[in-house]
Amino acid sequence: MRPFRHFRALLLGAAVLAASLGVAGPAAAHDAAESSSPAQGGSVPAPPAKVSVTFNNKPLGLGASISVKDAAGAEWADGAVEIVDNVASQKLRPGGPAGAYTVAWRVVSSDSHPIEGTFTFTAAAAAEGAGAAATGGASTTPGAAVPGAGTAQPGATAPAEPASSAQPFQWSIVIFAVVAVGLLVALAVLARRRLSGGADGEPDSV
């Protein structure tokens, strides 16, 4: 009976180790937004030349979008999102009106999961053509924390291309799984040898 108890203890320890290694990766939090420019709820003299969101890690380049709409629902985003280091920026068309603006952003985080959020700001006066809009960007309120930003959306799916970009997170799970399976196989072989040795060395108790 001793070999069976020894094998059961080893198997239980291996299962606990494999479970802890497998859960360690997915439990890590996704990337999150740290600040925005203009700041959440902030006020600027005129619509800025661009808006931006700063993240705690560099987001992936594919699948990023930033929408900037005024109180009437008109879209002022102009061109594609630009990502430099951990900052995603969106240029605005010149000539924006005074009033409230709503910025809705969506990016694919460094672990290939899509995240999105929103923030608002208010322009005290309308931009006077392209020149006024460009100078408005230098007058933005310093970035501040974005409440609720950076929450992963459960129903969203990441694009196929970012998921294949060999991030350390995915490879760590594969390595952990291989180590856990190898450990279980080694313990099973060791226990089988001990059981065979015990059966050969002990007389039948009939």
Side-chain angles (χ1 to χ4, degrees):
M1 296 297 295
R2 185 178 302 174
F4 282 104
R5 293 178 181 177
H6 187 64
F7 171 68
R8 185 170 57 186
L10 291 176
L11 187 60
L12 179 61
V16 172
L17 176 62
S20 63
L21 291 176
V23 173
H30 301 315
D31 295 350
E34 294 184 328
S35 63
S36 69
S37 179
Q40 159 65 15
S43 179
V44 294
K50 68 178 180 179
V51 297
S52 63
V53 182
T54 301
F55 300 90
N56 61 338
N57 285 307
K58 181 179 180 179
L60 301 181
L62 297 178
S65 65
I66 297 180
S67 169
V68 185
K69 294 183 178 181
D70 61 21
E75 180 63 65
W76 289 92
D78 183 23
V81 176
E82 180 182 7
I83 297 178
V84 178
D85 295 330
N86 61 332
V87 180
S89 302
Q90 173 65 61
K91 293 181 179 180
L92 273 62
R93 293 188 290 111
Y101 286 79
T102 300
V103 181
W105 56 265
R106 184 181 189 275
V107 300
V108 179
S109 63
S110 60
D111 63 359
S112 78
H113 285 78
I115 56 176
E116 58 187 33
T118 61
F119 67 92
T120 60
F121 67 91
T122 302
E128 297 180 359
T135 57
S139 304
T140 57
T141 306
V146 183
T151 303
Q153 301 301 306
T157 56
E161 291 298 328
S164 64
S165 54
Q167 298 295 323
F169 170 77
Q170 286 80 10
W171 283 113
S172 63
I173 294 179
V174 175
I175 294 174
F176 289 151
V178 171
V179 171
V181 171
L183 180 60
L184 290 175
V185 172
L187 291 176
V189 172
L190 178 62
R192 184 174 181 180
R193 290 179 179 177
R194 292 189 176 182
L195 290 175
S196 300
D200 293 340
E202 294 179 6
D204 296 335
S205 56
V206 180

